[in-house]
Amino acid sequence: MHKSFRFNGIRKPYIYMLSGKSRPPFAPVRRNILRIPNRPGGLITSSETDVLPLQVPIGFVSVTDEQILQYKEELAGWLLTDEPVTLIFDDEPNRIYYAVVENTLEDFEEFVTLRKGTITFICPDPYKYGQSYQLNFQNDAITLLNEGTAETYPIIEATAKEDVTFLQVAKENEYMMIGRQLDAGIQPQDREELVMHDTLTTTTGWTTGTATDIERAISGTMVSNGTGFVVQDYGSGTDVYHGPALKKSVPSPLQDFRAEAFVRFPNGSGQVGRIEMVGLDANNAQIFRIGLYDSKPSGNRTKASARVGTLTNGIRITDTEAVYVDNWTNYIGIYRIERVGNTWSVYFAEVDLATGIHHTTHRRTLNTSDFNQELTQIQLYIAKYTASWGSYDPVNSIFEDLKVYRINEEAEIPYIAHEGDIITLDHQTNNILINGESRLDLKDFGASFFSLNKGVNHIFTFPEGAFDTTVKWRERFK
Protein backbone atom coordinates (compact mmCIF):
# COMPACT_ATOMS: atom_id res chain seq x y z
CA MET A 1 0.00 0.00 0.00
CA HIS A 2 1.27 3.47 -0.82
CA LYS A 3 2.64 5.64 2.01
CA SER A 4 0.48 8.51 3.23
CA PHE A 5 -0.55 10.15 6.52
CA ARG A 6 -3.52 10.54 8.85
CA PHE A 7 -4.47 14.10 9.83
CA ASN A 8 -7.10 14.84 12.49
CA GLY A 9 -7.97 11.13 12.42
CA ILE A 10 -8.65 11.11 8.66
CA ARG A 11 -6.68 9.43 5.87
CA LYS A 12 -7.44 10.19 2.21
CA PRO A 13 -6.98 7.07 0.08
CA TYR A 14 -6.04 9.01 -3.05
CA ILE A 15 -3.10 10.86 -1.41
CA TYR A 16 0.43 9.56 -2.10
CA MET A 17 3.37 10.77 -0.02
CA LEU A 18 6.26 11.41 -2.42
CA SER A 19 9.97 11.31 -1.69
CA GLY A 20 11.73 14.48 -0.62
CA LYS A 21 9.85 15.15 2.60
CA SER A 22 11.52 17.45 5.09
CA ARG A 23 11.07 16.10 8.62
CA PRO A 24 13.90 17.13 10.98
CA PRO A 25 15.04 14.29 13.26
CA PHE A 26 14.41 16.52 16.31
CA ALA A 27 12.91 19.89 17.14
CA PRO A 28 15.12 22.84 16.15
CA VAL A 29 16.96 24.53 19.01
CA ARG A 30 17.90 28.21 18.97
CA ARG A 31 20.93 29.17 21.06
CA ASN A 32 21.14 32.67 22.52
CA ILE A 33 24.79 33.73 22.51
CA LEU A 34 26.37 36.47 24.60
CA ARG A 35 29.24 38.12 22.71
CA ILE A 36 32.10 39.44 24.86
CA PRO A 37 34.48 42.05 23.40
CA ASN A 38 38.02 40.86 22.81
CA ARG A 39 37.02 37.27 23.50
CA PRO A 40 36.71 34.67 20.75
CA GLY A 41 33.26 33.15 20.24
CA GLY A 42 30.66 33.69 22.92
CA LEU A 43 28.76 32.18 25.87
CA ILE A 44 25.45 30.33 25.60
CA THR A 45 23.01 32.20 27.84
CA SER A 46 19.93 30.15 27.06
CA SER A 47 18.46 27.66 24.62
CA GLU A 48 14.97 27.77 23.13
CA THR A 49 13.19 24.95 21.32
CA ASP A 50 11.56 26.38 18.20
CA VAL A 51 8.43 25.31 16.35
CA LEU A 52 8.83 22.26 14.15
CA PRO A 53 8.18 22.67 10.38
CA LEU A 54 7.26 19.62 8.28
CA GLN A 55 7.22 19.83 4.49
CA VAL A 56 5.38 16.92 2.93
CA PRO A 57 5.38 16.42 -0.87
CA ILE A 58 2.23 14.65 -1.98
CA GLY A 59 0.67 13.57 -5.23
CA PHE A 60 -2.25 11.73 -6.75
CA VAL A 61 -3.03 10.28 -10.16
CA SER A 62 -3.76 12.98 -12.74
CA VAL A 63 -7.40 13.80 -13.20
CA THR A 64 -9.29 16.49 -15.09
CA ASP A 65 -9.07 20.17 -14.13
CA GLU A 66 -12.60 19.96 -12.74
CA GLN A 67 -11.67 17.01 -10.56
CA ILE A 68 -8.46 18.62 -9.33
CA LEU A 69 -10.50 21.66 -8.27
CA GLN A 70 -12.83 19.36 -6.33
CA TYR A 71 -9.85 17.68 -4.66
CA LYS A 72 -8.37 21.05 -3.67
CA GLU A 73 -11.61 22.10 -2.04
CA GLU A 74 -11.82 18.78 -0.21
CA LEU A 75 -8.23 19.12 0.97
CA ALA A 76 -8.89 22.64 2.24
CA GLY A 77 -11.89 21.46 4.24
CA TRP A 78 -9.83 18.64 5.70
CA LEU A 79 -6.47 20.29 6.35
CA LEU A 80 -7.35 23.82 7.46
CA THR A 81 -8.01 23.69 11.21
CA ASP A 82 -8.09 26.41 13.86
CA GLU A 83 -6.05 24.44 16.38
CA PRO A 84 -3.28 21.82 16.14
CA VAL A 85 -4.60 18.29 15.61
CA THR A 86 -3.01 14.85 15.38
CA LEU A 87 -0.72 14.03 12.45
CA ILE A 88 0.56 10.46 11.99
CA PHE A 89 2.76 9.32 9.08
CA ASP A 90 2.55 5.76 7.73
CA ASP A 91 6.33 5.41 7.93
CA GLU A 92 6.33 6.58 11.58
CA PRO A 93 3.19 4.90 12.94
CA ASN A 94 4.20 5.02 16.63
CA ARG A 95 4.73 8.77 16.78
CA ILE A 96 2.09 11.51 16.93
CA TYR A 97 2.66 15.12 15.91
CA TYR A 98 0.24 17.98 16.70
CA ALA A 99 0.16 20.21 13.66
CA VAL A 100 -1.61 22.88 11.65
CA VAL A 101 -1.18 23.67 7.97
CA GLU A 102 0.84 26.84 7.38
CA ASN A 103 -0.56 29.40 4.95
CA THR A 104 -2.01 27.73 1.85
CA LEU A 105 -1.50 24.55 -0.12
CA GLU A 106 1.08 24.95 -2.85
CA ASP A 107 -0.39 24.62 -6.31
CA PHE A 108 -0.59 21.10 -7.65
CA GLU A 109 1.30 20.91 -10.96
CA GLU A 110 0.86 18.16 -13.48
CA PHE A 111 3.86 15.86 -13.75
CA VAL A 112 3.67 12.90 -16.15
CA THR A 113 0.71 10.91 -14.75
CA LEU A 114 0.66 12.61 -11.34
CA ARG A 115 -0.51 15.83 -9.85
CA LYS A 116 2.01 16.82 -7.18
CA GLY A 117 2.43 19.55 -4.61
CA THR A 118 3.68 20.24 -1.11
CA ILE A 119 1.86 20.62 2.19
CA THR A 120 3.72 22.54 4.90
CA PHE A 121 2.75 21.66 8.44
CA ILE A 122 3.80 23.63 11.53
CA CYS A 123 3.95 22.01 14.97
CA PRO A 124 3.70 24.71 17.67
CA ASP A 125 4.43 21.90 20.14
CA PRO A 126 7.68 20.72 18.56
CA TYR A 127 7.72 17.33 20.25
CA LYS A 128 6.55 13.95 18.99
CA TYR A 129 4.48 11.74 21.26
CA GLY A 130 4.59 7.99 21.73
CA GLN A 131 2.90 5.42 23.90
CA SER A 132 0.75 6.30 26.93
CA TYR A 133 1.24 4.54 30.26
CA GLN A 134 -0.65 4.21 33.55
CA LEU A 135 0.74 2.66 36.73
CA ASN A 136 -0.49 2.31 40.30
CA PHE A 137 1.48 3.44 43.33
CA GLN A 138 2.47 0.71 45.76
CA ASN A 139 2.74 1.67 49.44
CA ASP A 140 2.58 5.38 48.55
CA ALA A 141 5.52 5.16 46.16
CA ILE A 142 6.35 4.35 42.56
CA THR A 143 9.43 4.01 40.40
CA LEU A 144 8.79 4.54 36.70
CA LEU A 145 10.87 4.66 33.56
CA ASN A 146 10.34 7.43 31.03
CA GLU A 147 11.81 6.01 27.83
CA GLY A 148 11.20 9.13 25.75
CA THR A 149 14.04 11.41 24.71
CA ALA A 150 12.48 14.43 26.45
CA GLU A 151 10.89 15.23 29.77
CA THR A 152 7.14 14.67 29.90
CA TYR A 153 4.35 15.80 32.20
CA PRO A 154 2.32 13.38 34.33
CA ILE A 155 -1.30 13.32 35.47
CA ILE A 156 -1.52 12.02 39.03
CA GLU A 157 -4.90 10.87 40.34
CA ALA A 158 -5.35 10.17 44.04
CA THR A 159 -8.54 8.67 45.50
CA ALA A 160 -8.91 9.44 49.20
CA LYS A 161 -9.33 6.45 51.55
CA GLU A 162 -10.04 8.70 54.54
CA ASP A 163 -10.65 12.33 55.44
CA VAL A 164 -7.53 14.37 54.63
CA THR A 165 -6.32 17.94 55.07
CA PHE A 166 -3.57 17.75 52.43
CA LEU A 167 -2.02 15.78 49.59
CA GLN A 168 1.66 16.00 48.76
CA VAL A 169 3.37 14.33 45.81
CA ALA A 170 7.17 14.54 45.84
CA LYS A 171 9.82 13.79 43.19
CA GLU A 172 13.42 14.25 44.28
CA ASN A 173 13.68 17.94 45.29
CA GLU A 174 10.35 18.95 43.68
CA TYR A 175 6.86 18.62 45.07
CA MET A 176 3.21 19.45 44.47
CA MET A 177 0.94 19.94 47.46
CA ILE A 178 -2.59 21.09 48.16
CA GLY A 179 -4.11 21.82 51.55
CA ARG A 180 -2.22 22.05 54.85
CA GLN A 181 -0.61 19.56 57.18
CA LEU A 182 -1.99 19.29 60.70
CA ASP A 183 -0.11 20.80 63.63
CA ALA A 184 -0.17 19.09 67.02
CA GLY A 185 -3.25 20.02 69.01
CA ILE A 186 -5.23 21.25 65.97
CA GLN A 187 -8.56 19.57 65.24
CA PRO A 188 -9.47 19.64 61.52
CA GLN A 189 -13.01 20.57 60.55
CA ASP A 190 -15.25 20.44 57.51
CA ARG A 191 -15.90 23.85 56.03
CA GLU A 192 -18.98 22.43 54.30
CA GLU A 193 -21.21 19.96 56.12
CA LEU A 194 -23.70 18.09 53.92
CA VAL A 195 -27.09 18.41 55.60
CA MET A 196 -29.39 17.42 52.75
CA HIS A 197 -28.86 15.20 49.72
CA ASP A 198 -31.80 14.20 47.54
CA THR A 199 -31.28 12.10 44.41
CA LEU A 200 -34.82 13.04 43.31
CA THR A 201 -35.91 9.47 42.61
CA THR A 202 -39.21 10.14 44.40
CA THR A 203 -41.33 13.19 45.27
CA THR A 204 -42.07 11.82 48.74
CA GLY A 205 -41.33 14.56 51.25
CA TRP A 206 -41.88 17.32 48.70
CA THR A 207 -44.91 19.64 48.60
CA THR A 208 -46.35 22.07 46.06
CA GLY A 209 -44.22 25.18 45.68
CA THR A 210 -44.98 28.80 46.49
CA ALA A 211 -45.27 31.58 43.89
CA THR A 212 -42.69 34.26 44.72
CA ASP A 213 -42.07 36.28 41.51
CA ILE A 214 -44.55 38.18 39.35
CA GLU A 215 -43.18 36.71 36.10
CA ARG A 216 -43.36 33.09 37.24
CA ALA A 217 -46.66 31.37 37.80
CA ILE A 218 -46.88 27.97 39.47
CA SER A 219 -49.19 25.46 37.79
CA GLY A 220 -49.23 21.88 36.57
CA THR A 221 -47.49 18.82 37.97
CA MET A 222 -43.88 17.77 38.56
CA VAL A 223 -43.07 14.07 39.06
CA SER A 224 -40.02 11.83 39.35
CA ASN A 225 -39.22 9.54 36.43
CA GLY A 226 -37.00 7.43 38.68
CA THR A 227 -33.82 9.35 37.90
CA GLY A 228 -34.92 12.96 38.40
CA PHE A 229 -37.75 15.49 38.56
CA VAL A 230 -39.51 16.20 35.25
CA VAL A 231 -42.69 17.99 34.19
CA GLN A 232 -45.81 15.93 33.72
CA ASP A 233 -48.05 18.94 33.07
CA TYR A 234 -47.15 22.65 32.74
CA GLY A 235 -50.65 23.84 33.60
CA SER A 236 -51.79 27.13 32.09
CA GLY A 237 -50.79 30.78 31.94
CA THR A 238 -50.73 33.65 29.47
CA ASP A 239 -47.85 36.07 28.77
CA VAL A 240 -45.95 34.53 31.66
CA TYR A 241 -43.61 31.68 32.50
CA HIS A 242 -45.64 28.92 34.12
CA GLY A 243 -44.99 25.41 35.33
CA PRO A 244 -44.81 23.20 38.39
CA ALA A 245 -42.70 23.72 41.51
CA LEU A 246 -41.95 21.45 44.45
CA LYS A 247 -40.38 22.50 47.73
CA LYS A 248 -38.78 20.71 50.66
CA SER A 249 -37.60 21.84 54.09
CA VAL A 250 -33.93 21.62 54.98
CA PRO A 251 -33.28 19.74 58.24
CA SER A 252 -32.54 22.94 60.20
CA PRO A 253 -32.39 26.67 59.35
CA LEU A 254 -29.12 27.73 57.71
CA GLN A 255 -27.36 31.09 57.86
CA ASP A 256 -24.22 30.31 55.88
CA PHE A 257 -24.95 27.67 53.26
CA ARG A 258 -24.30 26.20 49.83
CA ALA A 259 -27.05 24.78 47.59
CA GLU A 260 -26.22 22.85 44.41
CA ALA A 261 -28.34 21.18 41.72
CA PHE A 262 -27.35 18.83 38.88
CA VAL A 263 -29.56 19.54 35.87
CA ARG A 264 -30.10 18.82 32.20
CA PHE A 265 -31.32 21.64 29.97
CA PRO A 266 -31.44 20.23 26.39
CA ASN A 267 -32.75 23.35 24.67
CA GLY A 268 -33.53 22.96 20.98
CA SER A 269 -34.44 25.49 18.32
CA GLY A 270 -37.89 26.96 18.97
CA GLN A 271 -37.91 25.88 22.62
CA VAL A 272 -38.32 28.35 25.49
CA GLY A 273 -38.09 27.54 29.18
CA ARG A 274 -36.51 27.81 32.62
CA ILE A 275 -35.10 25.43 35.23
CA GLU A 276 -34.52 27.18 38.55
CA MET A 277 -33.71 26.55 42.20
CA VAL A 278 -35.22 28.92 44.77
CA GLY A 279 -34.30 29.44 48.40
CA LEU A 280 -37.12 30.33 50.82
CA ASP A 281 -37.22 31.48 54.44
CA ALA A 282 -39.69 30.37 57.11
CA ASN A 283 -42.29 32.84 55.78
CA ASN A 284 -41.96 31.55 52.17
CA ALA A 285 -40.16 34.76 51.17
CA GLN A 286 -37.63 34.32 48.36
CA ILE A 287 -34.02 34.63 49.49
CA PHE A 288 -32.41 33.69 46.16
CA ARG A 289 -33.15 32.29 42.73
CA ILE A 290 -30.61 30.60 40.44
CA GLY A 291 -31.01 28.71 37.16
CA LEU A 292 -30.80 28.42 33.41
CA TYR A 293 -33.17 29.76 30.80
CA ASP A 294 -33.69 30.19 27.07
CA SER A 295 -36.02 33.02 26.04
CA LYS A 296 -35.11 33.04 22.32
CA PRO A 297 -37.39 30.79 20.23
CA SER A 298 -35.36 31.62 17.12
CA GLY A 299 -32.24 29.82 18.37
CA ASN A 300 -30.46 28.00 21.18
CA ARG A 301 -29.40 30.74 23.62
CA THR A 302 -28.96 29.29 27.09
CA LYS A 303 -28.27 31.88 29.79
CA ALA A 304 -27.20 31.53 33.41
CA SER A 305 -29.06 33.68 35.90
CA ALA A 306 -28.91 34.30 39.64
CA ARG A 307 -30.21 36.95 42.01
CA VAL A 308 -30.89 37.57 45.68
CA GLY A 309 -34.40 38.62 46.52
CA THR A 310 -37.14 38.87 43.87
CA LEU A 311 -37.45 40.65 40.54
CA THR A 312 -39.08 43.62 42.19
CA ASN A 313 -36.90 44.06 45.29
CA GLY A 314 -33.76 42.00 44.64
CA ILE A 315 -30.23 42.37 43.28
CA ARG A 316 -28.92 40.50 40.25
CA ILE A 317 -25.72 38.49 40.69
CA THR A 318 -25.40 37.36 37.07
CA ASP A 319 -27.35 37.04 33.84
CA THR A 320 -25.17 35.90 30.99
CA GLU A 321 -24.54 33.56 28.09
CA ALA A 322 -21.41 31.45 27.85
CA VAL A 323 -18.29 33.07 26.39
CA TYR A 324 -19.18 31.34 23.13
CA VAL A 325 -22.93 31.46 22.67
CA ASP A 326 -23.43 27.80 21.73
CA ASN A 327 -21.26 26.42 24.54
CA TRP A 328 -24.20 25.94 26.92
CA THR A 329 -26.53 24.40 24.35
CA ASN A 330 -27.79 21.07 25.72
CA TYR A 331 -26.39 21.97 29.14
CA ILE A 332 -25.57 18.99 31.38
CA GLY A 333 -24.01 20.03 34.64
CA ILE A 334 -24.40 21.86 37.91
CA TYR A 335 -25.21 25.26 39.26
CA ARG A 336 -24.45 26.37 42.80
CA ILE A 337 -25.13 29.30 45.10
CA GLU A 338 -23.38 30.04 48.38
CA ARG A 339 -23.72 32.65 51.13
CA VAL A 340 -21.03 33.30 53.75
CA GLY A 341 -21.64 36.38 55.85
CA ASN A 342 -22.55 39.13 53.39
CA THR A 343 -20.84 37.48 50.42
CA TRP A 344 -22.82 35.57 47.80
CA SER A 345 -21.07 33.34 45.23
CA VAL A 346 -22.52 31.51 42.23
CA TYR A 347 -20.94 28.85 40.02
CA PHE A 348 -22.13 27.25 36.79
CA ALA A 349 -20.31 24.36 35.10
CA GLU A 350 -21.03 21.75 32.49
CA VAL A 351 -19.78 18.30 33.49
CA ASP A 352 -18.15 15.75 31.19
CA LEU A 353 -20.09 12.61 32.14
CA ALA A 354 -17.22 10.34 31.06
CA THR A 355 -14.49 12.03 33.14
CA GLY A 356 -16.43 14.09 35.70
CA ILE A 357 -14.38 17.16 34.75
CA HIS A 358 -16.08 20.55 34.94
CA HIS A 359 -15.80 22.82 31.90
CA THR A 360 -17.31 25.96 30.37
CA THR A 361 -17.53 27.43 33.86
CA HIS A 362 -18.88 30.76 35.09
CA ARG A 363 -18.39 32.38 38.53
CA ARG A 364 -19.68 35.61 40.06
CA THR A 365 -19.82 37.15 43.56
CA LEU A 366 -21.93 39.83 45.24
CA ASN A 367 -21.56 41.58 48.59
CA THR A 368 -24.75 42.78 50.26
CA SER A 369 -26.13 42.84 53.78
CA ASP A 370 -29.70 42.50 52.45
CA PHE A 371 -31.62 39.22 52.17
CA ASN A 372 -29.78 37.66 55.08
CA GLN A 373 -32.69 35.67 56.50
CA GLU A 374 -32.12 32.00 57.32
CA LEU A 375 -32.65 29.42 54.59
CA THR A 376 -35.37 26.93 55.57
CA GLN A 377 -36.66 25.52 52.24
CA ILE A 378 -35.44 24.65 48.74
CA GLN A 379 -37.86 24.94 45.81
CA LEU A 380 -37.34 23.43 42.34
CA TYR A 381 -39.15 25.03 39.39
CA ILE A 382 -39.46 24.14 35.68
CA ALA A 383 -41.43 26.43 33.35
CA LYS A 384 -42.47 27.11 29.78
CA TYR A 385 -43.75 30.36 28.24
CA THR A 386 -47.19 30.90 26.74
CA ALA A 387 -47.94 34.13 24.89
CA SER A 388 -51.38 35.51 24.11
CA TRP A 389 -50.81 34.61 20.43
CA GLY A 390 -49.64 31.05 21.10
CA SER A 391 -47.43 28.70 23.07
CA TYR A 392 -43.74 27.91 22.56
CA ASP A 393 -42.38 24.39 22.84
CA PRO A 394 -40.85 23.81 26.31
CA VAL A 395 -37.34 22.61 27.09
CA ASN A 396 -37.46 19.04 28.42
CA SER A 397 -35.57 19.96 31.58
CA ILE A 398 -34.59 17.57 34.36
CA PHE A 399 -33.43 18.04 37.96
CA GLU A 400 -31.24 15.00 38.75
CA ASP A 401 -29.62 15.76 42.09
CA LEU A 402 -29.78 18.27 44.95
CA LYS A 403 -27.29 18.96 47.74
CA VAL A 404 -27.44 21.51 50.55
CA TYR A 405 -24.51 22.21 52.89
CA ARG A 406 -24.10 24.12 56.12
CA ILE A 407 -20.96 26.26 55.92
CA ASN A 408 -19.18 26.38 59.26
CA GLU A 409 -16.89 29.09 60.50
CA GLU A 410 -13.59 28.80 58.70
CA ALA A 411 -11.62 25.98 60.30
CA GLU A 412 -7.99 26.65 61.13
CA ILE A 413 -7.09 23.61 59.03
CA PRO A 414 -10.07 22.28 57.03
CA TYR A 415 -10.49 18.92 55.37
CA ILE A 416 -9.97 19.16 51.61
CA ALA A 417 -11.26 15.68 50.70
CA HIS A 418 -13.20 12.77 52.13
CA GLU A 419 -13.28 9.04 51.45
CA GLY A 420 -13.99 8.45 47.76
CA ASP A 421 -13.10 11.97 46.62
CA ILE A 422 -10.72 12.11 43.65
CA ILE A 423 -7.87 14.64 43.54
CA THR A 424 -6.23 15.13 40.14
CA LEU A 425 -2.87 16.88 39.82
CA ASP A 426 -2.60 17.62 36.11
CA HIS A 427 1.00 18.62 35.40
CA GLN A 428 0.21 18.82 31.66
CA THR A 429 -2.27 21.68 32.03
CA ASN A 430 -1.07 23.04 35.40
CA ASN A 431 -4.43 22.40 37.00
CA ILE A 432 -5.69 20.86 40.24
CA LEU A 433 -9.10 19.16 40.31
CA ILE A 434 -11.19 17.76 43.14
CA ASN A 435 -14.04 15.63 41.80
CA GLY A 436 -13.64 17.37 38.44
CA GLU A 437 -13.74 20.95 39.77
CA SER A 438 -10.67 23.19 39.47
CA ARG A 439 -9.25 24.02 42.93
CA LEU A 440 -6.04 25.90 42.30
CA ASP A 441 -6.92 27.99 45.36
CA LEU A 442 -5.79 25.05 47.52
CA LYS A 443 -2.26 24.91 46.07
CA ASP A 444 0.57 25.27 48.58
CA PHE A 445 2.59 28.45 48.03
CA GLY A 446 5.92 26.68 47.61
CA ALA A 447 4.61 23.80 45.48
CA SER A 448 5.07 23.59 41.70
CA PHE A 449 4.00 21.42 38.79
CA PHE A 450 6.87 19.17 37.71
CA SER A 451 7.89 16.96 34.82
CA LEU A 452 9.11 13.38 34.61
CA ASN A 453 12.82 13.21 33.83
CA LYS A 454 14.21 11.08 31.05
CA GLY A 455 14.95 7.69 32.54
CA VAL A 456 14.11 6.62 36.08
CA ASN A 457 11.79 8.65 38.33
CA HIS A 458 10.94 8.04 42.00
CA ILE A 459 7.66 9.57 43.26
CA PHE A 460 6.10 9.48 46.73
CA THR A 461 2.72 10.54 48.18
CA PHE A 462 1.81 11.82 51.63
CA PRO A 463 0.11 11.36 54.09
CA GLU A 464 1.02 7.70 54.21
CA GLY A 465 -1.79 5.23 53.58
CA ALA A 466 -4.36 7.93 52.81
CA PHE A 467 -4.71 7.52 49.03
CA ASP A 468 -4.98 5.01 46.22
CA THR A 469 -2.88 6.73 43.55
CA THR A 470 -2.21 6.28 39.84
CA VAL A 471 0.08 8.14 37.48
CA LYS A 472 -0.44 8.57 33.74
CA TRP A 473 2.14 9.86 31.28
CA ARG A 474 2.97 9.81 27.62
CA GLU A 475 6.39 9.41 26.08
CA ARG A 476 7.71 12.56 24.44
CA PHE A 477 10.47 12.74 21.84
CA LYS A 478 12.63 15.58 20.62
Side-chain angles (χ1 to χ4, degrees):
M1 186 174 71
H2 62 270
K3 294 292 178 64
S4 186
F5 59 88
R6 185 177 296 273
F7 183 73
N8 201 16
I10 299 172
R11 189 179 193 276
K12 298 293 184 180
Y14 54 80
I15 294 292
Y16 291 76
M17 203 160 58
L18 304 177
S19 60
K21 62 181 179 293
S22 175
R23 257 185 284 165
F26 51 82
V29 177
R30 183 170 61 251
R31 310 292 188 185
N32 296 315
I33 306 296
L34 174 64
R35 306 293 181 183
I36 300 176
N38 302 319
R39 177 174 174 170
L43 299 176
I44 296 177
T45 59
S46 63
S47 300
E48 299 175 6
T49 303
D50 210 342
V51 299
L52 178 66
L54 304 171
Q55 291 187 331
V56 182
I58 66 167
F60 42 85
V61 175
S62 289
V63 291
T64 66
D65 289 340
E66 290 78 9
Q67 289 174 311
I68 194 63
L69 178 61
Q70 178 182 342
Y71 278 166
K72 284 183 178 180
E73 292 174 347
E74 184 178 336
L75 289 175
W78 169 42
L79 296 174
L80 299 181
T81 60
D82 294 330
E83 301 291 337
V85 296
T86 57
L87 173 62
I88 304 173
F89 295 99
D90 289 354
D91 57 358
E92 209 176 359
N94 297 321
R95 298 290 179 265
I96 299 175
Y97 298 83
Y98 290 88
V100 292
V101 171
E102 185 184 43
N103 298 324
T104 186
L105 305 179
E106 293 188 22
D107 196 29
F108 290 93
E109 59 178 323
E110 190 168 8
F111 181 76
V112 191
T113 60
L114 289 177
R115 291 275 187 162
K116 67 175 187 175
T118 300
I119 301 173
T120 300
F121 295 99
I122 291 291
C123 300
D125 178 349
Y127 296 95
K128 298 177 285 186
Y129 290 84
Q131 187 172 345
S132 296
Y133 296 89
Q134 176 174 325
L135 292 176
N136 297 325
F137 282 61
Q138 301 295 327
N139 299 320
D140 306 310
I142 195 169
T143 298
L144 61 86
L145 178 63
N146 172 23
E147 296 188 274
T149 59
E151 295 179 337
T152 190
Y153 294 89
I155 298 175
I156 297 169
E157 187 174 278
T159 301
K161 297 192 290 185
E162 59 189 49
D163 298 346
V164 292
T165 64
F166 78 99
L167 165 63
Q168 183 183 64
V169 179
K171 180 184 76 77
E172 298 173 358
N173 60 346
E174 299 177 279
Y175 77 95
M176 171 52 64
M177 176 173 163
I178 64 170
R180 296 170 58 193
Q181 298 185 53
L182 281 175
D183 294 325
I186 300 296
Q187 177 64 42
Q189 182 183 3
D190 277 318
R191 179 180 181 270
E192 300 95 9
E193 177 188 351
L194 183 64
V195 297
M196 178 173 154
H197 183 198
D198 198 317
T199 56
L200 308 180
T201 56
T202 176
T203 58
T204 300
W206 292 78
T207 60
T208 301
T210 301
T212 56
D213 263 327
I214 57 174
E215 290 188 358
R216 292 164 177 81
I218 292 180
S219 62
T221 307
M222 187 182 295
V223 298
S224 176
N225 64 3
T227 60
F229 283 5
V230 297
V231 174
Q232 185 180 70
D233 174 24
Y234 284 94
S236 61
T238 303
D239 294 334
V240 69
Y241 283 96
H242 62 92
L246 292 176
K247 65 180 181 179
K248 187 176 186 179
S249 296
V250 297
S252 61
L254 301 175
Q255 188 60 48
D256 292 341
F257 62 85
R258 169 186 288 179
E260 176 180 297
F262 188 95
V263 303
R264 294 177 186 257
F265 191 68
N267 57 321
S269 181
Q271 296 180 343
V272 172
R274 292 180 176 272
I275 181 167
E276 297 177 328
M277 176 173 61
V278 179
L280 304 175
D281 69 7
N283 297 315
N284 288 318
Q286 180 172 304
I287 306 172
F288 69 81
R289 181 184 293 274
I290 182 172
L292 302 168
Y293 73 96
D294 186 343
S295 61
K296 305 291 186 183
S298 58
N300 305 328
R301 303 293 291 272
T302 302
K303 298 184 77 172
S305 177
R307 67 168 47 242
V308 293
T310 66
L311 288 171
T312 54
N313 72 352
I315 305 172
R316 183 173 67 185
I317 303 175
T318 191
D319 190 87
T320 185
E321 297 173 344
V323 175
Y324 297 101
V325 171
D326 292 337
N327 278 5
W328 283 343
T329 299
N330 194 25
Y331 189 105
I332 302 174
I334 68 169
Y335 53 68
R336 171 194 303 156
I337 188 165
E338 178 179 298
R339 182 180 67 191
V340 179
N342 294 329
T343 300
W344 291 84
S345 304
V346 298
Y347 174 70
F348 295 80
E350 289 199 84
V351 177
D352 185 321
L353 298 182
T355 64
I357 294 176
H358 295 200
H359 62 92
T360 324
T361 60
H362 173 68
R363 299 177 187 268
R364 286 292 184 272
T365 59
L366 170 72
N367 289 301
T368 177
S369 58
D370 298 329
F371 312 104
N372 61 357
Q373 60 265 51
E374 289 183 323
L375 175 70
T376 66
Q377 305 168 82
I378 292 292
Q379 180 165 295
L380 304 181
Y381 178 64
I382 301 175
K384 63 177 291 187
Y385 190 87
T386 300
S388 56
W389 57 85
S391 178
Y392 298 104
D393 290 336
V395 180
N396 295 318
S397 306
I398 307 174
F399 281 105
E400 290 195 349
D401 194 77
L402 172 68
K403 294 177 181 176
V404 181
Y405 298 83
R406 173 185 290 109
I407 296 181
N408 301 308
E409 291 185 11
E410 190 67 42
E412 187 171 354
I413 299 182
Y415 289 115
I416 63 167
H418 302 279
E419 182 179 357
D421 288 343
I422 299 173
I423 301 176
T424 304
L425 307 178
D426 191 336
H427 297 255
Q428 295 180 6
T429 62
N430 290 355
N431 200 5
I432 295 168
L433 306 171
I434 298 183
N435 296 330
E437 180 179 351
S438 181
R439 292 302 308 269
L440 286 168
D441 58 300
L442 294 175
K443 177 178 172 294
D444 179 74
F445 179 77
S448 60
F449 294 97
F450 56 78
S451 61
L452 299 179
N453 302 326
K454 295 183 291 183
V456 176
N457 294 262
H458 303 286
I459 308 176
F460 306 89
T461 64
F462 305 93
E464 295 180 359
F467 293 94
D468 288 323
T469 309
T470 62
V471 58
K472 304 174 187 177
W473 77 97
R474 192 173 194 179
E475 292 174 339
R476 201 163 67 141
F477 297 86
K478 294 182 179 179

